[in-house]
Amino acid sequence: MRKLIIILGIIFLSVLGYAQPDVDGYDKYKSRRISFMSEKMGLTPDQAQDFWPLYNEYEKKRFDLQQERRKQESKVQDNFDDYSENDFKKLSISIIDLYVDEADLMKEYNDKFLKILPAKKVVIIGKLENDFRFNMIREYSRQRGGGGGGGN
């Protein structure tokens, strides 16, 4: 149950971060992520100057692919019984193609990141993204009185 709550929290924060209804909140989230990841990666000012515009470009493209995949996945929710076997096959292929596109994007940007950062810093990007989201979930939970603290 705890894992489910954490996963839902991650999804919630991810959506909050990109939805941008509260521009100040989104800017605050972004600036905290930059600070957190820059510190944990040990980015020099020159590295940060090269990395963050590239990372933001990557995140935008990745978010767009994920949104499209979610759109495809939700197509059948309302009219599940109206879809034929062939429709489901096409949809399945479309969804998998979007996962492949996302993997291709990750590979493309991994290569770009390696041109500006040491491999050691590139390897930890994904882990730091997750660490930051978990920290935000814990903080949000504490602010709401849920504790959200340690324990496994």
Side-chain angles (χ1 to χ4, degrees):
M1 182 68 177
R2 183 181 177 119
K3 287 182 182 181
L4 176 62
I5 291 170
I6 291 171
I7 290 169
L8 290 174
I10 290 170
I11 292 168
F12 175 73
L13 283 176
S14 296
V15 169
L16 274 182
Y18 287 105
Q20 298 184 13
D22 174 8
V23 174
D24 291 337
Y26 178 70
D27 288 344
K28 184 178 177 183
Y29 173 87
K30 238 173 107 168
S31 112
R32 289 181 67 183
R33 182 182 65 187
I34 289 169
S35 175
F36 177 88
M37 289 180 65
S38 293
E39 178 186 333
K40 298 291 184 183
M41 289 172 72
L43 295 180
T44 67
D46 287 341
Q47 287 173 335
Q49 186 175 0
D50 292 339
F51 173 73
W52 283 108
L54 188 62
Y55 178 85
N56 291 334
E57 178 182 294
Y58 160 70
E59 277 294 287
K60 170 72 171 107
K61 290 179 180 180
R62 190 169 96 176
F63 177 75
D64 290 345
L65 286 170
Q66 290 169 344
Q67 285 294 97
E68 180 59 30
R69 188 180 70 244
R70 285 183 197 106
K71 188 170 118 182
Q72 294 292 318
E73 290 169 338
S74 67
K75 276 184 177 181
V76 297
Q77 288 180 355
D78 293 332
N79 303 314
F80 191 80
D81 293 330
D82 295 341
Y83 281 77
S84 68
E85 179 67 14
N86 196 39
D87 291 334
F88 282 115
K89 283 181 183 177
K90 287 178 184 176
L91 186 58
S92 175
I93 291 167
S94 174
I95 291 168
I96 294 302
D97 285 346
L98 287 164
Y99 276 110
V100 170
D101 290 347
E102 187 175 355
D104 289 343
L105 180 74
M106 293 170 83
K107 182 173 179 359
E108 173 190 343
Y109 277 83
N110 186 70
D111 292 343
K112 290 179 179 184
F113 294 147
L114 286 169
K115 290 178 182 171
I116 60 172
L117 295 175
K120 181 178 182 179
K121 292 181 181 185
V122 173
V123 165
I124 63 172
I125 291 171
K127 179 188 180 323
L128 293 177
E129 290 169 334
N130 290 331
D131 289 350
F132 178 73
R133 285 186 200 106
F134 282 124
N135 285 342
M136 292 297 292
I137 290 167
R138 279 191 288 270
E139 182 178 312
Y140 181 77
S141 179
R142 275 192 296 271
Q143 288 174 355
R144 298 290 180 234
N152 288 345

